[in-house]
Amino acid sequence: MALEEGARSCLLRFRHRLEQDIKPSYLMDHMISDDVLTVDEEEKIKNQPTRKDQAVALLELLLKKDNRAYISFYNALIKEAYDDLANLLHDDLPRILPEAYRSTSNGFTSYVQTVLSEGGVPQRPVVFVSRPELVNRVREKLYRLQREPGWVTVFGMAGSGKSVLAAEAVRHHELIEECFPGGIHWLSIGQLDKPDLLVKIQSLCFRLEQSLDSQSLHRPPSSLDEAKERLRFLMLRRYPRSLLILDDVWESTVLKVFDIQCRILLTTRNRSLTDSVSGAKYEVEVESGLDENKGLEILALYTNNNPQGLPEEARSIVRECKGSPLVVSLIGALLKEKPNRWRYYLCQLQQKQFKRIRKSSSYDYDALDQAMAASIEVLPDDHRELYRDLTVIEKDVKVPAKVLSVLWDLEPEEVEDILEEFVNKSLLFVDSHHRPYLYYLHDLQLDFLEEKNRTQLESLHTKVVRQYQKHYRDGPPTSGDEECLYWIRFLTYHLAKANLSQELNSLMFSLDWVRIKAQIMGPAQLINDYVEYGPILDKENSEVRSQFQEFLSLNGHQLEQRPFPDVVQLALSQPHASEVYRQALLQAQERASTGKLYFDWLNKSSVESLSRLVIHPHQGSIYSACFSHDGAKIASCGASKTLKVFKSTSGEKLMEIQAHDEEVLCCAFSPDDRLLATCSSDRKVKVWNVERAMLLRVFEEEHEEQVNHCQFTNTTRRLLLATCSNDKILNVKLWNLNKPTSQNTMFGHFEPVNHCCFSPDDSFVSTSSNDGTVKLFQVSSANEWKTIDVRSMFTENDEEVFVKCSTWTADGKHIICAARNAVLVFDVETSDMLLEIRTSRLSMVQYCQACPTSNLLAIAFSNYAVELWDLEANKKMADLSGHLSWVQRVQFSPDGSQLLSCSDDQTVRLWETNKVHTSSAVCLKRDSDVLFNDEEIIVSAADNCNRLQVRDGRTGSVLFQSEEKPSRIRCTCMCRQPSAVVLGQEDGTVQVGNLCRNIRGHPRKFLSYITT
């Protein structure tokens, strides 16, 4: 079949551009694999004298071939990261029949190559041995995900080939076409802390959104919870029948971030990881190693031989390698270069000359040690030293050659040659999906290097820092390429590992570093640096560390905007005593001498710190905190698996318990404060004696999934405990503490229930669920009384509505619930919605609680904020800022005088309700105008209540304040002669006011209205 005319025309149209840019030798490897190019044709093209001549010859040949060749060429461009060139050819891709598309008998087609390449699935290793029985078992499990979401776990020991097996299983046309037409998306996990996991999910979300229209692009999610919600939406709505592959997962806490009701294939060493998540689950065990025949096959491929023709030592070598594909490959790579050393390498493996002490593990490291030692031994002396430098690379991090060029002080081309040698000896892996190529080590290889060089780790990291400082004397790189991203992300890591604490302090206490890293990486990564390296920074100056962290917390949302804001101007809003402000003032004064204008907030000293007390009780996110009923104590729990109790007046710790085996999701005091209940991801509910810090009861049989929330009745008249969980049906239970089993189970929800709450008189329990409803159950009978359909209040049909929580007003007449970016108030008797509070689409409501003594409602948000609203007036009364990450829970004290909030930033904050109610009610927004008149400065701006304010810029006193406007104020300006102020509203109305009249005490009204 000849090449379609459209495709031919496209090649001719962009021929010059292709000839200028492509490197044919890389592309032809893929085309030969697709059987569209012969080895003889490749040889003729390679004989051309220059790269451009080779490109001309390849395109000339391509014009004579068929549609399959065009598609193969297009796929090769994608694989070699020529994305811009591939886009030129995309619109004219030929439409060929499926039969023609299936170029190989095993279903590995050009279509499959395109899907896997776009999803980041690794290519086959250079030496690949098929394991059809295992591959087919994985595929059989994957076919079970065709009709419903679920998990397929591929588990086995380290180095057993799990990742290669997972990649090979999805390299199949029918499987993708029938089960995963939405695509295959690969994510390497490894041993990650939360900041690095967040970066990986940010990258995945960006990749998924980039494939959609440009309007789908959002700012990167700034916390794991937000990332989970973004990924949930993308996987369920935009890629509903796709497969997410999580490679090398270690922790169940990581897996929970991906518990979003989608289709997932994961590789792990721990088969029990999926016990902590919901959904259908299937397993495939990878045996401890290759059998003898497969091991011989690998050696035969490396030595260009057939298995029957191998020397007698081959079988002994395979046995000594303990079946590890990695170790066999290391020996095979050595034999490829020295084919006469079979007996020598066998003796090295047998003599175990490089035995080392290892932590307990299921993996037999001896064989790997001998193979690694032998492989490194044959390197030239100078290359052996360079390979040792790779010890400093973090696990699961891929490094461009330019970074190593800086480290080794060599030209990039020379570095690439050295790295190619390491790759050929199986000492290093290369990710050729990216351009430039990225290089990385297997976890076991890094283990070997770290163990071998453990006494030199500090000096190796110091070498990295010194080489960076030598290369970047004039400041950090800002290009945004792979090399820049590495240094900006990992420079602090190398400084900390090198124990260069003074230099780490100097870097992280620099406003210039904050500006550069925030602009390139975003504020979330920067905030997490201050948390991760906080113990080191605090040795120098904990107050300065706190000041920088606070600055990022308050301005994180600004630092995500594009165009990027002026960090100096933002920092000028900090308190005068802050180091952040001091540096900003110096820079502003220096730049002002060149004509740049900055505004300084003169009366900021009058603003009080609104948090009465800040407590740091746990390492890790805090998911729940609550007051005791006498208000004297606070309990908290979270990712650290501990329960703590401390004084609400001082933060003094009263009790600490290692409460559960997994994250503790909720804690609650009994009405008499003698008991504390906790519930956890480990599916258990526990009751503790507060005074003795002693466990009284454990309920562990009835909930089969994680227990999300627990609460006691409000009085001791009939003490009961309510719990709710992710179980599909039996997900709400009432417990009598004197009985070993639950007293009642509430039926009605068929999706996870996130929250349960007793009414003020304990007559009802409200439950909030992922099914989009709030249900009210009678406590006495456990019967459902009514259902409030929250989902129907949202007109958008493209997203699911998960109800996060519900709270009752003090009189029990209204129930308030949180879902998506809204808080809704319902009448309990009629189920009518009375009030709706909506926030920005980018901010999710995490929790809300009604004050037991007033009309106030506290709302916790994903944008790090807490807000207080007056329900009767339907007006926001206060903004409570200070948290550095998502706020998970808010609760009023029993008398309503205090409010606590807990967050992923590892803190619990206490606020005095009356103080924040009055002092933080007014916040001027960014759209403003300023008049300078001799010594007088007048500022006009809209406030957060949508009123226009005119203030004296020196004293801060209000000269004029308009009434609250029904349509959002979008802009304002002032005029000196005549003295007037103008505002523009979202509905197109422009209003003009006489500024002099208002200042002199005349009625505060605008004089004219203009509608545009």
Side-chain angles (χ1 to χ4, degrees):
M1 181 191 223
L3 185 61
E4 283 184 9
E5 193 55 43
R8 175 185 297 278
S9 183
C10 183
L11 280 176
L12 292 171
R13 196 162 62 250
F14 298 114
R15 183 174 186 168
H16 179 70
R17 174 85 181 274
L18 292 164
E19 290 171 353
Q20 291 293 325
D21 293 346
I22 64 173
K23 194 168 184 179
S25 57
Y26 292 161
L27 302 176
M28 289 190 293
D29 288 341
H30 302 292
M31 297 175 72
I32 289 174
S33 298
D34 289 345
D35 282 336
V36 300
L37 196 70
T38 67
V39 175
D40 289 340
E41 289 170 333
E42 178 193 34
E43 195 61 34
K44 288 179 182 177
I45 292 171
K46 282 188 172 180
N47 286 336
Q48 300 298 318
T50 67
R51 181 206 58 78
K52 186 172 181 182
D53 290 335
Q54 291 175 3
V56 170
L58 176 59
L59 290 170
E60 194 67 42
L61 180 64
L62 194 57
L63 287 166
K64 299 175 183 177
K65 288 187 172 286
D66 60 9
N67 292 335
R68 285 179 56 247
Y70 183 97
I71 292 172
S72 176
F73 180 67
Y74 168 81
N75 289 331
L77 289 173
I78 290 177
K79 289 175 184 176
E80 293 299 329
Y82 292 110
D83 294 338
D84 53 339
L85 299 180
N87 288 336
L88 299 177
L89 307 186
H90 180 271
D91 290 343
D92 292 292
L93 279 171
R95 308 295 180 192
I96 60 178
L97 296 174
E99 289 73 18
Y101 213 21
R102 293 175 171 83
S103 60
T104 59
S105 58
N106 66 357
F108 183 26
T109 67
S110 299
Y111 163 71
V112 171
Q113 289 179 320
T114 302
V115 171
L116 300 190
S117 179
E118 290 175 348
V121 178
Q123 296 174 327
R124 281 175 174 167
V126 177
V127 172
F128 171 74
V129 175
S130 65
R131 302 162 82 178
E133 183 182 346
L134 271 175
V135 168
N136 288 333
R137 281 167 56 195
V138 177
R139 284 178 183 161
E140 186 268 326
K141 303 299 184 188
L142 288 173
Y143 269 108
R144 299 191 186 188
L145 302 183
Q146 183 174 4
R147 290 184 176 81
E148 64 171 352
W151 308 77
V152 175
T153 302
V154 177
F155 66 93
M157 74 175 192
S160 60
K162 301 183 295 294
S163 301
V164 173
L165 182 63
E168 192 62 23
V170 296
R171 206 169 266 120
H172 195 267
H173 189 107
E174 284 77 10
L175 178 71
I176 296 175
E177 195 173 59
E178 294 175 19
C179 300
F180 313 116
I184 311 287
H185 310 287
W186 184 284
L187 196 63
S188 298
I189 302 296
Q191 289 180 289
L192 294 176
D193 53 17
K194 285 193 172 183
D196 290 329
L197 177 59
L198 175 60
V199 170
K200 283 189 177 288
I201 303 179
Q202 285 174 335
S203 175
L204 175 61
C205 289
F206 179 76
R207 189 203 310 167
L208 295 173
E209 290 173 340
Q210 204 173 33
S211 300
L212 305 170
D213 57 281
S214 59
Q215 293 180 346
S216 300
L217 290 172
H218 297 90
R219 64 170 178 80
S222 54
S223 74
L224 280 178
D225 283 334
E226 186 180 356
K228 182 176 180 178
E229 291 301 321
R230 179 83 60 82
L231 191 59
R232 184 199 306 276
F233 170 72
L234 287 168
M235 297 301 289
L236 295 184
R237 296 299 175 186
R238 300 303 180 89
Y239 298 89
R241 293 184 61 202
S242 60
L243 179 68
L244 180 59
I245 303 178
L246 306 177
D247 183 40
D248 193 23
V249 182
W250 286 65
E251 299 287 340
S252 60
T253 52
V254 169
L255 209 58
K256 287 174 191 172
V257 178
F258 299 94
D259 191 4
I260 54 176
Q261 294 295 303
C262 67
R263 294 160 173 83
I264 291 180
L265 168 64
L266 69 117
T267 69
T268 180
R269 306 177 194 190
N270 182 356
R271 71 183 299 174
S272 64
L273 280 186
T274 53
D275 291 348
S276 63
V277 295
S278 57
K281 298 160 190 173
Y282 310 98
E283 293 180 348
V284 176
E285 181 177 5
V286 181
E287 293 80 359
S288 57
L290 300 170
D291 61 30
E292 187 174 277
N293 290 334
K294 291 296 180 185
L296 293 173
E297 190 178 340
I298 290 178
L299 293 177
L301 287 168
Y302 268 109
T303 56
N304 197 25
N305 210 326
N306 61 66
Q308 292 75 27
L310 294 175
E312 59 184 19
E313 292 89 353
R315 293 184 184 277
S316 299
I317 285 176
V318 171
R319 284 194 292 271
E320 292 294 335
C321 289
K322 307 292 192 300
S324 167
L326 177 61
V327 179
V328 175
S329 295
L330 284 165
I331 297 298
L334 290 170
L335 290 166
K336 181 178 181 180
E337 292 193 358
K338 306 287 184 181
N340 298 321
R341 291 192 175 183
W342 291 87
R343 180 165 295 281
Y344 172 74
Y345 292 130
L346 174 60
C347 289
Q348 280 208 315
L349 286 171
Q350 289 173 333
Q351 289 171 8
K352 304 188 186 301
Q353 294 173 343
F354 199 78
K355 286 203 68 168
R356 295 171 290 123
I357 298 172
R358 289 279 190 175
K359 295 179 181 178
S360 60
S361 169
S362 61
Y363 187 74
D364 186 337
Y365 284 93
D366 285 342
L368 173 69
D369 289 349
Q370 314 320 316
M372 285 287 294
S375 297
I376 294 171
E377 184 183 314
V378 300
L379 292 173
D381 290 345
D382 55 339
H383 288 191
R384 201 178 306 153
E385 292 297 309
L386 297 180
Y387 190 73
R388 184 191 63 177
D389 290 340
L390 301 183
T391 309
V392 300
I393 299 175
E394 271 210 282
K395 286 183 178 178
D396 300 299
V397 171
K398 300 176 181 179
V399 181
K402 278 189 176 181
V403 169
L404 299 173
S405 175
V406 172
L407 176 60
W408 295 337
D409 219 358
L410 298 172
E411 291 298 320
E413 292 79 8
E414 189 176 352
V415 170
E416 288 175 354
D417 292 341
I418 294 169
L419 295 177
E420 186 176 355
E421 178 190 6
F422 293 163
V423 171
N424 289 339
K425 287 183 166 56
S426 293
L427 288 168
L428 191 67
F429 294 88
V430 59
D431 182 352
S432 56
H433 280 310
H434 291 267
R435 180 170 299 275
Y437 287 173
L438 300 178
Y439 299 88
Y440 61 100
L441 290 161
H442 192 285
D443 286 359
L444 294 175
Q445 292 170 322
L446 265 175
D447 285 346
F448 173 89
L449 287 174
E450 287 176 358
E451 182 68 25
K452 181 181 178 183
N453 303 307
R454 64 185 184 277
T455 60
Q456 305 172 60
L457 286 176
E458 192 172 300
S459 62
L460 290 173
H461 282 281
T462 301
K463 177 182 176 180
V464 176
V465 174
R466 298 299 176 231
Q467 287 299 110
Y468 165 85
Q469 292 170 336
K470 175 183 174 182
H471 193 80
Y472 291 106
R473 293 189 186 92
D474 299 328
T478 57
S479 60
D481 60 11
E482 291 288 347
E483 180 198 6
C484 165
L485 291 175
Y486 180 87
W487 290 120
I488 297 301
R489 182 178 173 191
F490 291 108
L491 180 58
T492 50
Y493 163 75
H494 291 301
L495 283 165
K497 290 292 185 181
N499 201 25
L500 298 172
S501 55
Q502 192 63 47
E503 294 177 52
L504 179 66
N505 290 333
S506 299
L507 182 73
M508 295 190 66
F509 293 163
S510 162
L511 195 59
D512 287 332
W513 175 254
V514 168
R515 172 181 57 80
I516 292 170
K517 185 153 187 173
Q519 186 168 7
I520 293 173
M521 301 294 298
Q525 184 77 25
L526 193 53
I527 289 172
N528 283 310
D529 277 354
Y530 286 95
V531 174
E532 183 173 354
Y533 304 119
I536 301 173
L537 300 174
D538 286 351
K539 291 177 183 177
E540 173 72 15
N541 196 322
S542 61
E543 189 173 344
V544 172
R545 193 267 308 159
S546 178
Q547 290 167 356
F548 272 88
Q549 201 168 334
E550 187 90 359
F551 167 65
L552 289 166
S553 163
L554 296 175
N555 295 280
H557 61 292
Q558 307 268 31
L559 296 173
E560 288 170 344
Q561 294 183 4
R562 293 297 181 270
F564 191 71
D566 190 320
V567 172
V568 171
Q569 182 63 72
L570 290 176
L572 287 172
S573 66
Q574 295 303 103
H576 283 144
S578 167
E579 174 65 16
V580 179
Y581 172 80
R582 189 192 69 78
Q583 292 185 29
L585 183 62
L586 288 174
Q587 292 191 27
Q589 290 170 341
E590 182 181 339
R591 296 179 189 181
S593 64
T594 63
K596 194 166 179 64
L597 178 64
Y598 284 97
F599 296 98
D600 196 3
W601 184 3
L602 296 178
N603 67 331
K604 75 178 77 164
S605 59
S606 64
V607 178
E608 302 173 75
S609 175
L610 300 178
S611 301
R612 186 182 69 76
L613 182 66
V614 181
I615 308 164
H616 191 292
H618 302 271
Q619 291 297 321
S621 299
I622 302 176
Y623 298 138
S624 179
C626 61
F627 280 107
S628 60
H629 287 72
D630 63 7
K633 295 185 285 290
I634 292 173
S636 65
C637 59
S640 65
K641 308 174 187 176
T642 58
L643 170 68
K644 291 190 180 182
V645 179
F646 41 89
K647 289 182 180 179
S648 61
T649 53
S650 63
E652 177 189 345
K653 185 171 71 175
L654 301 173
M655 181 182 86
E656 180 175 2
I657 299 170
Q658 190 67 31
H660 286 267
D661 299 326
E662 296 188 29
E663 297 177 319
V664 189
L665 302 180
C666 185
C667 58
F669 278 101
S670 64
D672 59 7
D673 293 332
R674 294 171 56 196
L675 306 177
L676 258 173
T678 58
C679 59
S680 166
S681 299
D682 64 12
R683 305 184 293 280
K684 297 175 184 176
V685 179
K686 297 185 178 182
V687 180
W688 308 84
N689 179 294
V690 176
E691 186 176 345
R692 299 181 182 178
M694 185 175 68
L695 181 63
L696 298 180
R697 298 301 301 266
V698 181
F699 303 112
E700 56 182 331
E701 301 296 332
E702 298 192 37
H703 283 300
E704 296 180 354
E705 299 289 349
Q706 73 175 31
V707 187
N708 295 315
H709 194 79
C710 59
Q711 189 189 15
F712 284 103
T713 48
N714 295 300
T715 66
T716 55
R717 185 175 65 251
R718 186 185 177 207
L719 185 63
L720 295 173
L721 176 68
T723 61
C724 58
S725 71
N726 280 358
D727 293 309
K728 283 290 184 182
I729 300 174
L730 308 178
N731 41 32
V732 182
K733 294 180 180 291
L734 290 180
W735 307 83
N736 183 325
L737 302 189
N738 296 318
K739 296 181 178 180
T741 58
S742 61
Q743 176 164 303
N744 277 314
T745 299
M746 277 77 162
F747 296 92
H749 292 294
F750 296 96
E751 293 292 337
V753 178
N754 302 308
H755 185 268
C756 53
C757 180
F758 285 100
S759 62
D761 63 359
D762 294 331
S763 297
F764 299 98
V765 171
S766 64
T767 57
S768 308
S769 170
N770 283 359
D771 62 15
T773 68
V774 171
K775 291 183 182 289
L776 306 185
F777 294 91
Q778 294 173 324
V779 173
S780 58
S781 64
N783 291 331
E784 181 182 332
W785 179 46
K786 63 174 56 183
T787 297
I788 299 174
D789 188 1
V790 180
R791 183 180 47 227
S792 65
M793 301 295 119
F794 293 83
T795 55
E796 310 95 331
N797 294 318
D798 60 339
E799 293 183 50
E800 293 178 283
V801 176
F802 301 143
V803 186
K804 292 285 188 72
C805 69
S806 56
T807 178
W808 298 73
T809 54
D811 58 10
K813 294 181 179 180
H814 303 134
I815 192 163
I816 307 161
C817 64
R820 283 204 202 162
N821 62 331
V823 171
L824 310 174
V825 182
F826 293 90
D827 184 284
V828 171
E829 286 294 330
T830 65
S831 299
D832 293 336
M833 187 177 76
L834 306 176
L835 176 65
E836 178 182 28
I837 300 171
R838 288 251 182 176
T839 67
S840 159
R841 242 239 8 122
L842 295 177
S843 176
M844 305 287 289
V845 177
Q846 291 293 97
Y847 201 82
C848 64
Q849 199 203 28
C851 180
T853 59
S854 69
N855 292 318
L856 288 179
L857 176 73
I859 309 174
F861 290 96
S862 62
N863 66 351
Y864 313 169
V866 176
E867 293 180 1
L868 282 184
W869 283 72
D870 187 319
L871 291 175
E872 189 172 353
N874 186 18
K875 183 182 295 186
K876 181 165 68 172
M877 306 307 295
D879 285 296
L880 284 60
S881 56
H883 278 297
L884 310 180
S885 189
W886 278 32
V887 184
Q888 296 287 2
R889 193 69 57 90
V890 286
Q891 190 189 42
F892 286 98
S893 60
D895 63 3
S897 65
Q898 296 185 81
L899 175 74
L900 67 76
S901 56
C902 63
S903 165
D904 282 352
D905 67 6
Q906 307 180 16
T907 66
V908 175
R909 287 179 178 259
L910 266 68
W911 318 80
E912 292 183 51
T913 310
N914 291 334
K915 181 181 288 188
V916 298
H917 186 172
T918 55
S919 61
S920 68
V922 175
C923 173
L924 295 181
K925 296 191 174 179
R926 293 181 67 191
D927 294 322
S928 60
D929 193 25
V930 183
L931 273 183
F932 298 94
N933 188 13
D934 296 329
E935 294 299 314
E936 187 180 42
I937 301 174
I938 301 174
V939 180
S940 69
D943 67 17
N944 57 339
C945 297
N946 207 40
R947 302 169 299 201
L948 184 71
Q949 292 195 15
V950 180
R951 289 179 175 248
D952 186 308
R954 295 196 177 279
T955 66
S957 60
V958 178
L959 305 176
F960 164 73
Q961 178 176 292
S962 74
E963 71 277 9
E964 188 173 328
K965 298 297 178 183
S967 179
R968 181 177 175 184
I969 298 173
R970 283 291 190 179
C971 57
T972 177
C973 63
M974 291 184 292
C975 177
R976 184 176 287 107
Q977 291 295 333
S979 185
V981 60
V982 184
L983 65 85
Q985 295 176 248
E986 201 168 59
D987 62 4
T989 301
V990 176
Q991 299 185 24
V992 182
N994 187 314
L995 195 55
C996 291
R997 290 190 183 184
N998 288 301
I999 293 174
R1000 292 170 186 163
H1002 287 263
R1004 298 177 177 180
K1005 294 182 179 178
F1006 281 88
L1007 302 180
S1008 59
Y1009 296 80
I1010 306 167
T1011 303
T1012 59

